[in-house]
Amino acid sequence: MLSKLTTAALAATLSLAASVAMAGAGDFAFEPVSPEMKKGDDVTLAVRLMNKRTGKPVSDAVIFKTRVDMAPDGMADMESPVSPLPSKEPGVYAFKTDLPMAGRYQVTLSAKVQGEPETVTGKVIVKATK
């Protein structure tokens, strides 16, 4: 009888562990902190990385690839340089970039989240105004 209870408890524990392990890169999303900003050089652009399951920001992710371009307005070749800035808020990742003209810019990011085997990638659209 005891071994049946032990087996059931072990099965339940493994099932719970498997569901936690099933969390994937799709459980995370990048969102703009401010979806609209003034055009110019050395603009600070910030994105928040959210865990969709918990609704909480994800701190300590390692952003290893960023790209800012005007793909939403049909000008993907108009790429701007991107430099990381120190984070001032948990789960917020800031960058310095140039937004030389008014229009929509696409920010493409790739990150490693602690405990997540898959790379988290996302695209965020921001608008630069005059």
Side-chain angles (χ1 to χ4, degrees):
M1 177 83 158
L2 185 58
S3 75
K4 286 184 182 181
L5 286 175
T6 304
T7 303
L10 180 60
T13 301
L14 290 174
S15 175
L16 179 60
S19 69
V20 170
M22 295 296 282
D27 292 325
F28 301 92
F30 288 100
E31 58 186 36
V33 171
S34 176
E36 197 168 294
M37 59 204 65
K38 289 197 178 263
K39 71 179 181 105
D41 294 338
D42 293 335
V43 172
T44 298
L45 188 149
V47 296
R48 183 175 288 114
L49 179 57
M50 297 295 294
N51 182 322
K52 293 182 197 177
R53 293 176 131 195
T54 65
K56 294 182 179 178
V58 178
S59 298
D60 300 326
V62 177
I63 309 290
F64 65 89
K65 187 175 181 184
T66 56
R67 177 182 165 99
V68 175
D69 60 45
M70 289 193 78
D73 285 346
M75 296 182 274
D77 289 342
M78 266 199 71
E79 185 178 353
S80 293
V82 183
S83 301
L85 294 171
S87 180
K88 295 181 181 179
E89 184 181 334
V92 173
Y93 302 89
F95 306 92
K96 181 173 66 171
T97 191
D98 297 335
L99 304 177
M101 59 189 290
R104 295 177 298 156
Y105 289 81
Q106 178 173 277
V107 184
T108 306
L109 304 125
S110 295
K112 291 306 276 179
V113 174
Q114 289 185 12
E116 178 57 49
E118 299 175 16
T119 297
V120 175
T121 58
K123 295 180 180 185
V124 174
I125 307 296
V126 296
K127 184 177 180 183
T129 60
K130 292 182 180 183

